[in-house]
Amino acid sequence: MNIESKWLEDFLVLAEVRNFSLAAEKRNVTQPAFSRRIKALEQTVGAELIDRSKTPVALTPSGRIFRITARTLINQMMDGIGQLSDLSKLGGNNVRVAAAHSLATSLVPSIQTELMSGKHKPILSVEAIDVDEAIEELQEGGCDILLAFDDELLRLPPYQSLQVGQAELLPVCACDEAGKPLYSITAETEVPWLAYSPSSYMGRQVEVVREQVNLQPVFSSSMTDLLKTLALQGLGVAWLPDYAIKQDLANGKVAILGDESLRLPITYYAYRYQARLHPAGEQVWQALRLHAQKQI
């Protein structure tokens, strides 16, 4: 369906003044030309919008419904133009980043310093969301760059991927005043489990070791920071990425439980479409590449 925006504006003016001659005058076109544009709109939408048998003309039932649609489309278009104008005022350097919650808080700060001194001075607009939602955001064109975990589909064209780090999901719990873990993991003893949502990326990773341990779910969330907070309060055992608890391990606030088989490797990537980004976006991608090289 190919509807020209000027047709929508014509229709809205006609719906307001209910007179072809007056509407044509307001739109600064001849009445025959104006009438042809309204007719073209009706043919395109497949419905009669104007009841020409009445004086003044009136909207048909379809016309009344379409008036709302036309107004919405015009408003959306103007909002989009306004956003582009705002982007222009920023020098075209706004870079939209969708990121898994835990990566947003750990990875983004590590590259921000490099961006401050770069040529284009990118302004990161970061949205921290659920991993699966973040992937959808990239696929729908809602972001320039996605920071998320390993996804085989996104490592294939038309996407471009960059491995920016590796980590481990570690089974941990809080320690008592003597520095001893509050819980232990065995096959026999039931332990309270602060779980990731089963449908989340992290949740799917932990499912691999479920049969090896006796876990009793007491809480569930897709947010690493929330599970970490509850684990530090001593409410149960949680599998947390090592980068999220590095300082807590060093301070003796948490302890790693179980044997090596319960430690789960995870890999995280930056993803984008293969098409070239605007200059600020390419600078962010290069900063991520440099970060990845430092991890080797």
Side-chain angles (χ1 to χ4, degrees):
M1 183 178 292
N2 185 18
I3 297 179
E4 297 187 29
S5 61
K6 63 183 179 183
W7 295 351
L8 298 177
E9 293 171 349
D10 290 342
F11 173 72
L12 290 174
V13 170
L14 180 58
E16 179 182 353
V17 300
R18 307 297 174 97
N19 181 282
F20 273 86
S21 297
L22 182 56
E25 183 180 341
K26 284 181 172 289
R27 294 289 293 149
N28 198 31
V29 295
T30 65
Q31 182 175 336
F34 182 86
S35 296
R36 286 195 297 270
R37 281 164 31 172
I38 293 296
K39 195 64 179 177
L41 175 63
E42 290 177 315
Q43 291 174 345
T44 301
V45 301
E48 190 176 81
L49 305 175
I50 305 298
D51 184 351
R52 296 167 175 78
S53 66
K54 296 181 179 179
T55 304
V57 297
L59 297 180
T60 64
S62 295
R64 290 194 291 272
I65 296 173
F66 188 74
R67 186 180 188 183
I68 299 172
T69 302
R71 189 163 52 239
T72 299
L73 290 171
I74 290 294
N75 289 340
Q76 288 177 341
M77 183 174 63
M78 296 307 296
D79 287 345
I81 292 173
Q83 290 175 10
L84 291 175
S85 176
D86 291 341
L87 180 61
S88 177
K89 292 174 184 176
L90 291 172
N93 59 355
N94 192 43
V95 182
R96 300 166 300 167
V97 178
H101 287 106
S102 61
L103 293 179
T105 56
S106 63
L107 180 56
V108 172
S110 68
I111 66 170
Q112 181 63 35
T113 302
E114 298 177 26
L115 300 180
M116 298 295 288
S117 58
K119 177 181 178 181
H120 300 288
K121 294 182 172 54
I123 298 175
L124 293 183
S125 176
V126 181
E127 183 178 5
I129 52 181
D130 177 81
V131 175
D132 294 331
E133 291 179 359
I135 291 173
E136 184 177 348
E137 189 78 358
L138 176 67
Q139 293 172 332
E140 295 295 326
C143 65
D144 298 307
I145 295 172
L146 166 66
L147 302 177
F149 300 98
D150 188 12
D151 186 291
E152 185 176 351
L153 176 63
L154 296 182
R155 288 190 279 108
L156 299 173
Y159 307 106
Q160 183 177 343
S161 63
L162 174 66
Q163 182 177 322
V164 291
Q166 292 180 310
E168 283 187 308
L169 276 179
L170 303 174
V172 300
C173 73
C175 297
D176 60 20
E177 295 180 356
K180 302 294 184 180
L182 297 178
Y183 304 97
S184 61
I185 293 182
T186 67
E188 296 78 23
T189 306
E190 188 174 87
V191 62
W193 178 31
L194 303 169
Y196 284 101
S197 302
S199 61
S200 69
Y201 172 85
M202 299 293 205
R204 294 193 292 269
Q205 307 314 302
V206 178
E207 280 299 316
V208 175
V209 297
R210 277 295 307 276
E211 294 183 357
Q212 301 179 38
V213 289
N214 191 350
L215 301 173
Q216 176 60 43
V218 295
F219 185 83
S220 176
S221 174
S222 63
M223 298 178 62
T224 293
D225 288 346
L226 181 53
L227 295 180
K228 174 183 172 180
T229 297
L230 297 180
L232 287 171
Q233 292 176 2
L235 298 181
V237 172
W239 268 257
L240 301 175
D242 53 14
Y243 55 76
I245 54 173
K246 186 179 300 182
Q247 196 61 45
D248 300 293
L249 285 169
N251 294 338
K253 292 183 178 180
V254 298
I256 302 173
L257 306 174
D259 57 34
E260 290 282 342
S261 67
L262 298 180
R263 302 184 183 189
L264 306 169
I266 54 175
T267 307
Y268 46 98
Y269 289 77
Y271 301 99
R272 57 180 278 191
Y273 275 102
Q274 290 178 334
R276 183 171 179 80
L277 299 172
H278 52 84
E282 290 293 344
Q283 183 177 322
V284 173
W285 189 258
Q286 184 60 26
L288 288 166
R289 187 181 299 279
L290 294 174
H291 173 85
Q293 292 172 351
K294 293 176 183 178
Q295 307 306 306
I296 299 176

